[in-house]
Structure formats: structure tokens, C-alpha cells
Amino acid sequence: KILDRLLFQGENEMGLLFALISKMRGLLLVRELIDRKLLEPSENFQRFKSSFERAAAQAKDDLPADRRFNPLLQNPYAVFKTAPQAKRFTVDELRRAMELLLEANKRLVSSSIDGKIVLEQTLIALVRPR
């Protein structure tokens, strides 16, 4: 229903796919920082912000300078809100999601299949338990 509504409102399939890719990439990167013990998720923003600042200082030379690929260059509050979401998935689940989204991108670009169908199939594959 939400996909139908977004498409009805004029969103295009490629834009929606890129939004999904961006979200999954952010979740994956934050999850990896959590797993590497660089970032400590917390329900308290001030505690999280301290962890965030320590992680940014420790990993300064190890992570890319592009904020799209380095959550420690993003707004700490945005990362704070992403951390609990990232903890709901394993790194493998998030990597699988990125692979599914890559396949969807290839299908949208190189086939004549209706973009809505490609997105629907991808969303179903994303939420289906393995």
C-alpha cells in the first residue's frame, strides 16, 4: 500500500530504490561500527554522543572521508536514531539486503519489467525471513 501511495504521489521507482539503498547502507555501516565495538548504542543520547565522539577520534584514519560511507561524519543524533534499527539485523542480513537492492537496480536499468513490480518483488524478498 505504501509503495502504491508513493508511486501515486509521483515518486519514481529509481528514486525509491536509491532511498532504500541509502537507508540499508547506513544501517550496515552503523551495525559494523557496533560490532567492531567502536560505537556503543544507548537509549541515552548524551551517553551515545560520548561514544560517538570517542569512535570518531579512534577511527578517524580508518574510515572514508565521504560522509555517505562514514556514519561518524554524520550528525550524531541521526546515527543515534539509526543504531537501534541497525541492532535488529545482523551484518549478513544487511549485506544480503544490499545484494537484493543491487539486483533490483540492475533489473530497473536493464530490463523492460515494470519498475513497480521490481520494487514489489525486492521489498518482499527483503522482508521475507531466510
Side-chain angles (χ1 to χ4, degrees):
K1 284 183 174 184
I2 293 172
L3 177 61
D4 285 337
R5 186 177 321 135
L6 289 170
L7 292 171
F8 179 77
Q9 291 173 347
E11 298 290 337
N12 79 22
E13 292 91 353
M14 213 46 147
L16 293 171
L17 178 65
F18 287 155
L20 284 169
I21 290 169
S22 178
K23 180 64 174 177
M24 288 298 154
R25 180 178 50 224
L27 290 171
L28 176 60
L29 294 170
V30 169
R31 180 62 202 223
E32 287 190 357
L33 290 174
I34 291 168
D35 288 353
R36 289 173 51 192
K37 307 281 190 241
L38 287 172
L39 200 55
E40 295 175 39
S42 174
E43 292 182 16
N44 178 295
F45 177 64
Q46 291 307 321
R47 185 176 297 137
F48 178 84
K49 189 174 178 191
S50 296
S51 165
F52 181 90
E53 290 167 351
R54 277 192 309 276
Q58 287 175 341
K60 182 172 53 172
D61 298 326
D62 297 337
L63 297 173
D66 188 333
R67 68 181 14 203
R68 290 176 300 165
F69 304 108
N70 184 349
L72 300 175
L73 295 177
Q74 298 173 8
N75 181 301
Y77 190 76
V79 179
F80 169 71
K81 297 303 265 182
T82 300
Q85 297 169 6
K87 286 206 45 108
R88 287 188 238 162
F89 302 96
T90 66
V91 169
D92 288 339
E93 289 171 328
L94 292 167
R95 286 183 181 151
R96 176 181 167 270
M98 291 298 290
E99 290 170 4
L100 290 169
L101 293 168
L102 174 62
E103 285 305 312
N105 187 17
K106 289 177 184 176
R107 289 174 64 203
L108 280 174
V109 170
S110 65
S111 75
S112 60
I113 300 172
D114 182 7
K116 178 184 175 195
I117 292 171
V118 171
L119 285 178
E120 286 175 343
Q121 291 172 340
T122 303
L123 289 169
I124 290 167
L126 285 170
V127 299
R128 181 182 326 141
R130 258 189 134 179

